[in-house]
Amino acid sequence: MINAYEYFKNHPKFNKLVGNDFLFVEYKCPLNIEEYQLCIESSLITYVISGKKD
């Protein structure tokens, strides 16, 4: 299982803003997300520009 917070925070390809207790990430999902399992242990706000979030 992937820890989404650590993945986005530590991966250099994503545009991000990191603070003491927050993380803003610009993320474009080209994959079928149903094939992956994510673990998110903190609060999450998602803003979808196009498409849909299930």
Side-chain angles (χ1 to χ4, degrees):
M1 187 171 299
I2 298 171
N3 182 325
Y5 177 83
E6 290 298 324
Y7 176 76
F8 289 123
K9 181 179 174 187
N10 296 321
H11 203 289
K13 83 172 192 174
F14 298 109
N15 293 327
K16 59 187 160 266
L17 177 62
V18 182
N20 290 335
D21 52 351
F22 67 86
L23 172 66
F24 292 103
V25 179
E26 177 185 4
Y27 174 66
K28 297 175 185 170
C29 184
L31 304 173
N32 183 356
I33 197 65
E34 294 175 0
E35 296 175 6
Y36 297 92
Q37 293 184 0
L38 299 175
C39 171
I40 301 173
E41 297 179 354
S42 55
S43 299
L44 176 69
I45 297 174
T46 303
Y47 184 79
V48 178
I49 295 174
S50 66
K52 65 180 183 173
K53 172 76 176 117
D54 290 334

